[in-house]
Amino acid sequence: MTKKVFTGADIEAFLKSGKTAADLPKDAVLTPSARDVLRDGPGKVVAGKAAAAPVSTGKSSDRFPPLPPGVPKVPPVPIVPSFEYHWPAGGDPVTPEEIQRFFYSPAIVEIKTQMVHVGHKMWGRNMVDGNGGNITVRVGDNLVLCTPTLRSKGELQVDDIALVDFDGNQKAGWRKRTSEVNTHLAIMKRQPLAKSCIHGHPPYSTAFAVAGIEPPTCLCSEAEIFTGPIKLIPYQTPGSPENATSVGEVAKDNPAVLLQNHGVMTWGSDVEDAYWKLENMETACQTIWVASQLNGGKLHSIPFEKMQDIFKIRRQLGMVDPREDWKECQLCDNTSFQPGAVCQIADAAAPADSGRLDPEAEKLVQQLTDQILAALK
């Protein structure tokens, strides 16, 4: 006797007619596609051909899709990426043509692109205003890329970047270099690790600079790790030789500094590193200012022994901290930091000489207040 063979199409028609798997002949032969249709919806109307189930051999390679083109078969060794530029010592271009070829080479264009990206981030985070702020990156024994003068960092383009030598003489670029480049160069001349410098006017950091106050230490762990103590540099006219000298001397040992009545400066191994320090400093200053308005202005310092852990992290990151040998009384001494105002009501049960309000004085103040209000009416 011939047995009926059902294909996938046969089972679809069979189910559409209102029949179910129970209505199939007992000796029916089902193809693999027919079994798939029954499995996906026995007793239901199937709207199309069922997809064949993937056949697995049990191997892990059969359970996962193939790798995309260009992806290695073995995972790479994890690294920490770095944008630091390493130039060949004594290899600076000399002739005008060599300088032009160097200035427009792919490696230098990539650094200029990074500078533009950082400039846009600075503007987006309100760290610069108008045409303020500037960025530099060292790219040779005697060569430094810099942002131009009178150009908003929010509108900065790759073609705007200029090239100067260590004396501030412009060597390439159609836009005039920033007038404050010599301040950046003063740091680079004194500190070989400073391969990129950034100047900006972030509001909270600049507020500390205008107030002439160095932010207290041992408070924000991120700032302690990446910037260390934030030092204040006395005011000098922006762009002046005096300003370059004073900033260079202090900043060579401190990668984040305040310029009194002016703004801030940071430096790092590359432009991204210098920008991170700018963010670290600004966030720390904002946090400290907000915290000083809470809890009567009392700030909780990182314990002395925990600061030693921070110094260890800094050493692992290649950062030297002169405070490592300081004593506990020196390291986190924030007694000079005083919040703007602290109002406190005296305890009525406290002794008379403990700062309680004088009732007679309060009575006199109330009488004077009443007289003034009466006169105003």
Side-chain angles (χ1 to χ4, degrees):
M1 185 176 65
T2 305
K3 296 181 180 181
K4 172 64 175 176
V5 178
F6 288 84
T7 65
D10 294 332
I11 293 298
E12 286 183 23
F14 188 79
L15 295 176
K16 287 180 180 179
S17 68
K19 297 180 181 180
T20 67
D23 299 319
L24 286 170
K26 292 182 180 181
D27 59 347
V29 177
L30 303 178
T31 65
S33 61
R35 294 181 183 276
D36 291 338
V37 174
L38 283 176
R39 182 199 63 221
D40 291 340
K44 298 180 181 178
V45 176
V46 180
K49 288 188 177 182
V55 179
S56 174
T57 64
K59 298 180 181 180
S60 61
S61 58
D62 293 332
R63 300 201 311 269
F64 308 111
L67 287 169
V71 176
K73 293 183 178 180
V74 180
V77 177
I79 64 170
V80 177
S82 173
F83 299 109
E84 183 175 358
Y85 181 70
H86 300 276
W87 61 86
D92 285 2
V94 178
T95 67
E97 182 182 348
E98 288 177 341
I99 291 173
Q100 281 292 90
R101 289 166 59 188
F102 171 78
F103 188 59
Y104 289 100
S105 64
I108 299 304
V109 170
E110 175 61 26
I111 296 176
K112 290 189 283 187
T113 302
Q114 293 170 1
M115 293 171 68
V116 169
H117 178 60
V118 167
H120 292 174
K121 289 201 293 186
M122 290 173 65
W123 188 87
R125 281 207 58 181
N126 195 33
M127 292 185 172
V128 285
D129 56 313
N131 62 291
N134 32 75
I135 305 168
T136 55
V137 177
R138 187 175 180 181
V139 291
D141 294 334
N142 190 44
L143 294 173
V144 175
L145 296 170
C146 71
T147 48
T149 189
L150 298 176
R151 182 68 164 155
S152 167
K153 302 306 165 291
E155 299 175 349
L156 196 62
Q157 301 295 323
V158 172
D159 196 38
D160 295 331
I161 305 299
L163 181 72
V164 301
D165 62 21
F166 251 38
D167 293 321
N169 301 310
Q170 186 154 345
K171 309 299 289 185
W174 71 279
R175 282 189 178 273
K176 186 177 180 181
R177 55 88 165 169
T178 173
S179 59
E180 295 190 61
V181 70
N182 288 321
T183 305
H184 298 234
L185 297 175
I187 299 175
M188 293 179 177
K189 289 176 181 178
R190 292 166 172 81
Q191 177 53 269
L193 297 177
K195 291 187 175 180
S196 177
C197 297
I198 294 179
H199 166 60
H201 310 139
Y204 290 93
S205 304
T206 303
F208 273 84
V210 171
I213 299 174
E214 289 186 351
T217 58
C218 303
L219 295 177
C220 300
S221 55
E222 287 78 10
E224 290 296 336
I225 291 173
F226 294 108
T227 71
I230 301 170
K231 295 297 184 180
L232 176 69
I233 300 174
Y235 179 79
Q236 297 288 350
T237 303
S240 67
E242 295 80 10
N243 187 58
T245 299
S246 61
V247 172
E249 285 300 317
V250 176
K252 72 179 190 297
D253 299 319
N254 300 278
V257 295
L258 306 177
L259 312 181
Q260 192 168 35
N261 298 101
H262 186 187
V264 305
M265 286 282 293
T266 60
W267 60 260
S269 59
D270 55 67
V271 68
E272 195 75 21
D273 184 33
Y275 173 72
W276 288 339
K277 290 181 172 64
L278 184 65
E279 283 196 350
N280 291 148
M281 175 167 56
E282 175 65 358
T283 298
C285 287
Q286 181 179 5
T287 302
I288 292 168
W289 180 83
V290 173
S292 69
Q293 312 304 308
L294 306 172
N295 194 29
K298 297 178 182 178
L299 304 177
H300 184 272
S301 298
I302 299 172
F304 177 78
E305 62 275 10
K306 296 300 181 182
M307 283 298 296
Q308 308 311 308
D309 295 338
I310 285 180
F311 294 149
K312 181 179 179 180
I313 295 174
R314 286 176 62 84
R315 287 196 300 273
Q316 293 172 345
L317 295 173
M319 301 178 184
V320 178
D321 198 314
R323 302 175 298 168
E324 287 195 35
D325 297 327
W326 287 13
K327 298 179 180 178
E328 184 172 0
C329 59
Q330 296 174 293
L331 184 58
C332 300
D333 181 14
N334 294 323
T335 54
S336 61
F337 177 71
Q338 298 293 331
V342 176
C343 299
Q344 186 173 0
I345 299 176
D347 185 357
D353 59 351
S354 64
R356 288 177 54 192
L357 299 177
D358 185 346
E360 292 299 323
E362 288 298 297
K363 183 178 180 180
L364 178 59
V365 170
Q366 186 61 55
Q367 291 175 349
L368 292 172
T369 301
D370 292 341
Q371 292 175 15
I372 293 171
L373 291 175
L376 291 175
K377 291 180 181 179

